[in-house]
Amino acid sequence: MAGFAVIGGGIAGLAAALFAARRGNRVTVFERDARAPGTSGSTLDEDFFGRRRTGVPQAAQPHLMLGAARSVLRTEAPDVYDTIMRLGARERHELDWFEERPPARPGDEDLVTVQARRIVVETALTDALHAEPRAALRYGEPATGLLVDPSSTPPRVRGVRTPLGAYEAELVIDAGGRRCASGEWLTGAGCRPPLVERHRTGIAYFCRWYRLPDGRADGPARPWTVSGGTFAGCAVFPADNGLFAVTLFVHTEDPTRGALRDPAVFEAAARTFPPGEAWLELGARPLSPVLATAGLDNRWSSLVDEQGPIATGMVGVGDAVTHTNPTIAQGMSLALWTARRVARETDPGAGRDRGHGCAPRPGTGSPDFVTEHYAWALRTLKPWFDFQVTTDRAIGERFAVRDFGAGPTRQLAALFECAQEDPEVMRARAKVRHLAAPPSEAYGAPEVRARVAAWLAARPDYVPGTAGPDRREWDKITAP
Ligand SMILES: Cc1cc2nc3c(=O)[nH]c(=O)nc-3n(C[C@H](O)[C@H](O)[C@H](O)COP(=O)(O)OP(=O)(O)OC[C@H]3O[C@@H](n4cnc5c(N)ncnc54)[C@H](O)[C@@H]3O)c2cc1C
């Protein structure tokens, strides 16, 4: 086979394979699931609601595509983006929160969310890959191990094993997500273990899918976004083709957690939050049971430790490098950034010379290739991973002690509320949300700070998080 072997055909694997194939590399994707999304003659809905993907339970949860992911697709694979839109996705500009969009500034064009179920994105990527002469997709053929040459230092990964055979590869791209056993395969072959940083999040999610009533293509313009209190939160995720999901989240230790699996309790609880009430009162038709997800962590995983690369010939993309809890919805964006980088760095047409004064581009089997990949990841992805960890810690603490406190969490809550009235602050919030600017830059801008300070000064008694239910009401609704 040679070429590249990609472990996993989720968003990261499909994108990495497509971008690399289009740049002239031969790729083979090994996917554990028996069939591709959207290719069995069934409709998107039959596939989405009728098929359980046990290895990828999050595929049934709502997935927002942020501006960062949208930009990658529109430049790397505009045909894929067109298919996503043709399959029924919707675009939503952040500044459309306001009845009149404020005068445009450079960069505003990227502050757009794509509203679609994850299966829509996977279907579009899969269709494009099927049409690529340099790409092969092997469904129902999981990678079960790696071919590793232990005689080189560090050991060199030379391909993958599956139940059907052994496949030599010039480069193995690990896109097997957070549950993939690639780390164990490496240590089993004599490598040092991958460097892993892990943080538990303490947040449990409950989601249910609905369809808007006939004749309605859109829900209310506002409130449509996350609304969070001191012990629970609610978010509405508009998706493709008149579908939307309502999500509730509580602390994993919250005693009311079990009750939220009951659809009637779930709905009553969702209606105590402004977004839940605004969307559910439209007469939406439920399409799914309540789908629960908990025990998520934020996990950073690197094949480079303090001694250097633990192996060569393999790099990770997507959740295999940075698996993040969904509060910031950045997973697909970070996956697509990484997929694009791998494709660029392995582009046979680009040559090895990186220009005057730069060392030549390292070959895919060299230690430098792995080192540079993870150095790039540390520079580009890790700050967003760290932001996710900080955000989740703040939510977890708030839910655990049921108080916003007086510090930075209150300040951030004020910024979010101020943004709903002030386009400048909304723009700053949107830049962070779409990964266009780090929080320190966007929220730290003097104008933004001054506007939030003025907003707070005008509300000396401001208490965040009053939009949802109080605890007594919540306990009553969720009581057995
Ligand atoms: C509850 C939840 C909600 C989320 N919401 C959002 C959101 O709103 N926006 C967003 O951008 N991101 C979101 N994410 C993150 C997002 O799903 C991922 O970050 C992104 O899709 C990249 O995942 P991946 O392709 O790396 O891994 P996965 O999606 O886990 O895909 C891995 C694939 O590899 C396959 N596989 C695993 N092991 C093997 C093997 N040994 N051999 C062959 N195949 C294998 C699996 O079957 C699967 O298809 C969410 C995540 C969760 C948990």
Side-chain angles (χ1 to χ4, degrees), residues 5-24:
V6 180
I7 302 174
I11 303 284
L14 293 169
L18 182 68
F19 301 167
R22 288 195 170 170
R23 284 184 153 83

Side-chain angles (χ1 to χ4, degrees), residues 30-116:
F30 296 91
E31 168 54 48
R32 186 173 45 200
D33 274 1
R35 63 189 177 88
T39 52
S40 57
S42 55
T43 64
L44 275 178
D45 285 357
E46 283 164 354
D47 240 11
F48 186 72
F49 293 113
R51 190 161 73 99
R52 273 198 73 206
R53 294 174 67 186
T54 44
V56 205
Q58 75 269 26
Q61 296 284 334
H63 274 60
L64 287 179
M65 184 189 284
L66 304 182
R70 175 176 172 268
S71 299
V72 174
L73 280 183
R74 288 193 348 142
T75 48
E76 278 302 305
D79 55 319
V80 171
Y81 192 72
D82 290 347
T83 308
I84 290 171
M85 299 311 294
R86 188 171 44 74
L87 289 172
R90 312 278 302 231
E91 290 184 329
R92 180 176 171 104
H93 200 289
E94 292 288 345
L95 295 174
D96 284 343
W97 172 266
F98 302 101
E99 262 157 42
E100 203 174 315
R101 206 187 277 187
R105 296 258 190 90
D108 279 2
E109 63 282 3
D110 291 327
L111 307 180
V112 176
T113 304
V114 180
Q115 301 172 338

Side-chain angles (χ1 to χ4, degrees), residues 129-154:
L129 258 183
H130 276 304
E132 265 321 304
R134 294 189 199 88
L137 282 148
R138 303 179 79 101
Y139 281 90
E141 189 173 349
T144 49
L146 298 169
L147 306 178
V148 182
D149 175 359
S151 64
S152 44
T153 311

Side-chain angles (χ1 to χ4, degrees), residues 6-14 30-33 53 55-59 61-66 69 118 122 141-145 174-181 185 205 237 293 296 317-320 322-326 328-335:
V6 180
I7 302 174
I11 303 284
L14 293 169
F30 296 91
E31 168 54 48
R32 186 173 45 200
D33 274 1
R53 294 174 67 186
V56 205
Q58 75 269 26
Q61 296 284 334
H63 274 60
L64 287 179
M65 184 189 284
L66 304 182
R118 174 175 151 147
E122 285 180 315
E141 189 173 349
T144 49
D174 177 10
R178 67 191 159 128
R179 288 188 178 77
C180 190
W185 301 334
Y205 297 87
F237 295 89
T293 312
L296 296 173
V317 298
D319 286 9
T322 170
H323 166 68
T324 46
N325 183 51
I328 298 175
Q330 58 179 344
M332 291 194 290
S333 296
L334 304 187

